[in-house]
Amino acid sequence: MAKKAFITGILGQDGPYLAKLLLEKGYKVYGLIRRYSNPNFDNLNFLGITNQVDYVEGDMNDEASLYHLIKTLLPDEVYNLAAQSFVASSFSQAKLTTEVNSLGPLFLLNAIKFFSPTTKFYQASTSEMFGLKNDDGFQDEKTPFHPRSPYGVSKVYAYWMTVNFREAYGIFASNGILFNHESPIRGKQFVTRKITDGVAKIKLGLSKELRLGNLDARRDWGYAGDYVKAMYLMLQQEKPDDFVVGTGENHSVREFVELAFKTVGISDWQKYVVIDPQFKRPAEVPDLKARADKAKKVLGWQPKVKFPELVKMMVEADLKRYQEK
Ligand code: NAP
Ligand code: F7E
């Protein structure tokens, strides 16, 4: 019998990459879709797997819908990727962010506890939980949390609830503390895709400027396709545990911009970039860099795509999209 995986956040960035990986491994994949007048399958279409996923209806805010799904699907593995994941919006919609990101995972954990206690649970935790904590320049599993946004705070709650259900009820529940990971299907509001989309439009004469906020922020950017492998590996271990996942290298937003413009042959990028205070945050996370030694040692995980390759892949995909239009 094929293993059953239930993925929340199936229409986002990571959901499709994870679904593709699990389908290749012979899983039956169920994806949670909330009620929408027009659900957007672009990301699944991009990976060519839209018709291979079984879609089930529910919402992270609707406890009963999650109880019903866990009770009836009895999945072997649950990957909780659904979230209000945009840090900037979490400042203006803190309550909604908390409901989806904190209570949503609690509902899923309760559903597993009551109806399917052998189901393994993956929680999409984040480097945003570290926030300001950067004592020796790196963050790992032992680094204390100091979140800097309602998003970061909401994810700290879910992190500890995952640990608590593991300790209190013996549920196989693991946190992947993933650093920023990107791809050609990254949402356009996140800085990397905003840049690559903007650069493609400027190159093709469709736009004249790119408006950005803080160019000094530094992030440890990896490739989503590499990171979903770590999620899968976490649920194949003998014991549940928490793992930091990142490349160990970071770059500033400025460096990303410079390289993206260089990819299309533009060296005087300053001519096109406008600093717009509306894209600055009330509290910034200045500098994140992963020490992912535990994931490498225990999971045997390694990131494959390096920073220049990632930038090139994203710029070329956006150029192709506009050229095809
Ligand atoms: P994403 O592209 O923003 O996708 C999030 C998904 O959550 C969307 O498909 C969205 O559905 C769904 N969702 C939001 N509210 C929901 C609700 N009330 N009920 C059901 N579904 C809901 O995020 P991502 O980049 O794939 O990230 C996946 C997860 O990893 C998130 O939990 C994120 O916080 C976490 N994370 C991401 C990164 C990163 O760098 N990408 C790093 C660390 C952790 P709709 O399509 O219907 O809006
Ligand atoms: O910002 C700066 C901004 O929105 C990165 C989410 O997936 O990763 C993501 O969170 C940096 C920040 O991602 C603009 O101030 C400058 O310092 O791409 P971002 P994020 O906030 O790091 C973590 C790991 C998650 O868990 C989250 O879910 O770029 N920045 N100018 C800008 N950012 C945006 N979005 N737009 C700008 O114009």
Side-chain angles (χ1 to χ4, degrees):
M1 271 258 285
K3 273 193 179 177
K4 290 180 279 184
F6 174 44
I7 302 177
T8 71
I10 192 73
L11 301 181
Q13 171 188 248
D14 291 1
Y17 280 104
L18 178 65
K20 187 165 197 286
L21 177 77
L22 296 177
L23 286 165
E24 283 163 4
K25 291 186 182 297
Y27 279 68
K28 186 161 181 60
V29 175
Y30 297 92
L32 180 74
I33 304 225
R34 53 181 164 156
R35 203 272 150 185
Y36 248 126
S37 39
N38 277 313
N40 184 340
F41 290 89
D42 285 358
N43 291 349
L44 289 147
N45 287 339
F46 184 87
L47 296 182
I49 55 165
T50 310
N51 297 329
Q52 295 173 53
V53 174
D54 283 66
Y55 302 100
V56 289
E57 194 179 303
D59 195 299
M60 295 304 289
N61 283 327
D62 189 328
E63 195 170 1
S65 72
L66 300 178
Y67 279 28
H68 169 73
L69 288 170
I70 297 296
K71 196 174 172 181
T72 51
L73 297 178
L74 296 172
D76 296 284
E77 296 168 11
V78 171
Y79 294 88
N80 180 38
L81 309 184
Q84 191 306 91
S85 77
F86 190 40
V87 173
S89 295
S90 77
F91 289 99
S92 53
Q93 298 180 55
K95 177 173 178 262
L96 174 90
T97 303
T98 306
E99 284 168 354
V100 178
N101 299 3
S102 306
L103 295 182
L106 172 62
F107 298 158
L108 279 174
L109 285 162
N110 266 329
I112 290 171
K113 177 185 158 198
F114 293 139
F115 303 117
S116 188
T118 57
T119 293
K120 295 179 176 180
F121 178 78
Y122 173 87
Q123 168 58 20
S125 286
T126 166
S127 51
E128 281 295 301
M129 301 187 306
F130 298 124
L132 271 189
K133 281 291 172 187
N134 199 11
D135 302 341
D136 71 344
F138 287 89
Q139 298 83 36
D140 62 22
E141 294 80 4
K142 295 200 166 66
T143 306
F145 298 142
H146 183 152
R148 293 274 284 171
S149 63
Y151 170 79
V153 174
S154 72
K155 288 282 188 173
V156 170
Y157 175 96
Y159 170 93
W160 282 115
M161 204 50 92
T162 300
V163 172
N164 183 254
F165 270 62
R166 179 166 84 213
E167 293 176 354
Y169 310 114
I171 287 169
F172 193 114
S174 295
N175 282 290
I177 308 174
L178 272 50
F179 284 58
N180 299 54
H181 46 280
E182 320 293 315
S183 73
I185 56 170
R186 181 62 142 152
K188 279 191 196 170
Q189 68 274 50
F190 299 98
V191 78
T192 54
R193 183 77 196 290
K194 183 174 172 183
I195 295 167
T196 61
D197 180 72
V199 165
K201 284 200 284 195
I202 288 168
K203 175 67 183 172
L204 298 173
L206 302 169
S207 172
K208 289 193 167 47
E209 63 178 28
L210 173 58
R211 302 186 86 85
L212 293 169
N214 175 18
L215 300 189
D216 296 320
R218 299 184 72 83
R219 290 291 182 274
D220 179 333
W221 281 297
Y223 171 53
D226 286 340
Y227 285 42
V228 296
K229 292 180 188 150
M231 299 178 187
Y232 163 75
L233 287 169
M234 281 178 220
L235 296 200
Q236 313 314 311
Q237 301 306 301
E238 270 182 26
K239 287 189 306 195
D241 204 348
D242 309 315
F243 296 90
V244 155
V245 174
T247 70
E249 185 183 306
N250 74 8
H251 298 271
S252 64
V253 174
R254 184 178 286 98
E255 286 168 59
F256 196 108
V257 171
E258 197 173 348
L259 193 51
F261 274 103
K262 206 170 147 205
T263 307
V264 298
I266 298 175
S267 51
D268 51 351
W269 60 269
Q270 290 91 341
K271 254 174 62 184
Y272 302 97
V273 173
V274 178
I275 301 302
D276 186 337
Q278 72 163 302
F279 298 114
K280 294 193 172 165
R281 297 182 178 169
E284 176 64 290
V285 172
D287 193 345
L288 291 171
K289 192 162 53 172
R291 191 189 285 110
D293 295 355
K294 181 174 166 187
K296 289 179 184 163
K297 189 164 166 247
V298 179
L299 305 177
W301 178 82
Q302 280 286 351
K304 295 221 172 70
V305 175
K306 298 264 187 223
F307 180 69
E309 202 185 325
L310 177 67
V311 177
K312 189 166 177 281
M313 177 201 303
M314 292 177 68
V315 172
E316 284 177 352
D318 278 319
L319 272 175
K320 190 161 172 260
R321 279 188 183 103
Y322 284 111
Q323 281 160 342
E324 280 170 0
K325 273 187 197 165

